[in-house]
Amino acid sequence: MEEPRTAVRFPGAGRRTSASRSERTNLPAEVVAGKDYQDALIVYRLTTRLTTRLTGEPEDGRDDEDGAGA
């Protein structure tokens, strides 16, 4: 079985600084596809921060407050 490819994307404009981490309980360092694990827990944390300067001006193609412009 092939390992899945994963990606995280943040839609919208502007530069972002992001970080993620996970805490795994009752799982080995490498899990085996198709094997059942009991009482497993995964806590995943993802943070992102907009790093561009806020100017109050709409960005490319964005003309309203929620960013759903043309």
Side-chain angles (χ1 to χ4, degrees):
M1 182 175 264
E2 186 177 326
E3 287 187 29
R5 289 196 243 192
T6 61
V8 176
R9 293 182 182 83
F10 298 99
R15 292 188 190 131
R16 295 180 182 272
T17 300
S18 303
S20 65
R21 71 181 191 132
S22 62
E23 298 169 17
R24 298 160 36 126
T25 304
N26 295 331
L27 288 172
E30 291 192 30
V31 295
V32 176
K35 182 175 180 180
D36 291 335
Y37 296 93
Q38 301 296 315
D39 300 317
L41 174 66
I42 301 171
V43 176
Y44 184 77
R45 289 185 173 86
L46 174 66
T47 59
T48 187
R49 178 173 56 113
L50 188 63
T51 59
T52 56
R53 189 172 60 131
L54 299 176
T55 63
E57 297 293 320
E59 296 185 54
D60 301 330
R62 294 174 180 264
D63 56 6
D64 57 1
E65 288 182 22
D66 67 1

